[in-house]
Amino acid sequence: MRIRSLLFAPAVRPDLLAKFPRAGADGVVIDCEDATPPDAKDEGRNHARTLGAELAAAGQSVFIRVNAVDTSWFDADVADGIPVGACGILVPMVEALDQLDRVGEALAAVGHDALRVVAGLETAAGVAGAREFLDHRVVTAGYFGAEDFVADMGGVRTDSNIEVLHARSEVALAGRLARVPVLDQVVVRFSDHERFEREAGEARALGYAGKMCIHPSQVALAHTAFTPAPAEVAAALAVIDAYEAAEKNGKGGVIVVDGRMIDGPLVAQARRVVEMAD
């Protein structure tokens, strides 16, 4: 399953959950964690289970963001908050391998061991251990959470994103080594489409598969950023065709296409563009 966009809404907002199908996101997330207040966890869990099942039956790829493993709400989220037909769960604040062991055990105990697990790397410890965490047997994808990371570091959030460049790069690299897709940070100023487009472009350049969205208007922007444009695909196909023709004629290695030197790594990039377009 390819996810260019994951659209979040609070589990306690059934009015927003009902609007999920209109947005056209690749995946939707019913958020039982940050977006659900402590005194409304039971209500949110009930909505996740019932409304999530309705959304899944209607063709949505539904994920539930449970509370962190070390919280008192995690077990109930897994036991009572996962709807029939769900695709997976997002596990926030992953900081240790034994937390992921517990996730696997909890899912197996309630017959949900086939669900996808998306690991949230949102703290200094999460980013530092990203390679191990994303390589864990239960993990099928990951995401980077900038706001929690900067808070944990005691840093300052800036428009430049310089304070999270290293962390974003580490998570992207970890995802590649573990061969699982990773999703980029949210843009909390959801009306700032220019920033979203810029960040999505950065994320694709770093190797991210998609971006987390907190407003329906961000979904189309994510899809544009993570879907190669027709001109980009055409250029990639031209590179591949020229290189393969040169190889057949015994002239492979390095060729020139439209004034560019093309060798193996650039052909690999071109093939990745075509793969993303498909």
Side-chain angles (χ1 to χ4, degrees):
M1 177 183 179
R2 183 177 171 208
I3 301 179
R4 300 163 297 174
S5 61
L6 262 186
L7 177 61
F8 286 67
V12 288
R13 291 290 304 274
D15 56 323
L16 297 181
L17 301 179
K19 296 177 181 179
F20 268 157
R22 304 178 201 170
D26 289 338
V28 297
V29 180
I30 301 176
D31 191 359
C32 293
E33 192 217 8
D34 285 346
T36 297
D39 61 354
K41 295 296 185 184
D42 288 341
E43 177 190 357
R45 204 174 289 124
N46 290 335
H47 287 157
R49 185 180 65 253
T50 58
L51 300 181
E54 294 176 11
L55 289 165
Q60 296 289 293
S61 297
V62 177
F63 293 80
I64 306 300
R65 180 154 73 169
V66 299
N67 286 275
V69 175
D70 293 339
T71 67
S72 60
W73 303 298
F74 170 76
D75 289 328
D77 287 347
V78 173
D80 301 323
I82 300 177
V84 174
C87 283
I89 64 171
L90 276 68
V91 181
M93 300 293 189
V94 172
E95 295 188 317
L97 287 172
D98 60 0
Q99 292 175 335
L100 294 171
D101 292 338
R102 187 176 167 198
V103 170
E105 293 163 1
L107 289 173
V110 294
H112 285 309
D113 39 334
L115 287 181
R116 296 178 174 91
V117 174
V118 184
L121 307 173
E122 308 176 76
T123 64
V127 172
R131 299 187 191 189
E132 287 184 306
F133 302 150
L134 294 184
D135 199 39
H136 191 278
R137 59 181 177 80
V138 304
V139 173
T140 58
Y143 71 87
F144 172 63
E147 309 308 323
D148 282 304
F149 176 78
V150 172
D152 186 42
M153 291 291 293
V156 177
R157 201 72 175 92
T158 71
D159 288 341
S160 72
N161 274 325
I162 188 65
E163 68 280 5
V164 293
L165 175 58
H166 176 75
R168 285 171 92 191
S169 301
E170 280 290 331
V171 171
L173 179 59
R176 174 58 184 151
L177 292 174
R179 297 187 180 278
V180 299
V182 287
L183 297 159
D184 190 41
Q185 62 201 26
V186 302
V187 174
V188 295
R189 195 176 298 122
F190 55 80
S191 62
D192 189 346
H193 292 175
E194 182 179 347
R195 175 164 184 160
F196 190 96
E197 291 173 332
R198 172 170 57 82
E199 284 197 12
E202 294 168 356
R204 185 185 163 195
L206 287 169
Y208 280 84
K211 198 158 176 66
M212 299 187 293
C213 304
I214 58 171
H215 192 274
S217 66
Q218 296 177 328
V219 171
L221 302 177
H223 290 183
T224 297
F226 292 96
T227 303
E232 186 180 0
V233 176
L237 289 171
V239 166
I240 295 167
D241 291 344
Y243 195 81
E244 290 179 349
E247 285 188 317
K248 286 180 182 178
N249 293 326
K251 298 179 181 179
V254 177
I255 64 171
V256 176
V257 178
D258 293 332
R260 296 173 62 212
M261 183 196 78
I262 302 297
D263 59 4
L266 293 178
V267 176
Q269 291 177 27
R271 287 180 174 141
R272 176 60 177 152
V273 167
V274 173
E275 180 185 323
M276 288 180 68
D278 291 339

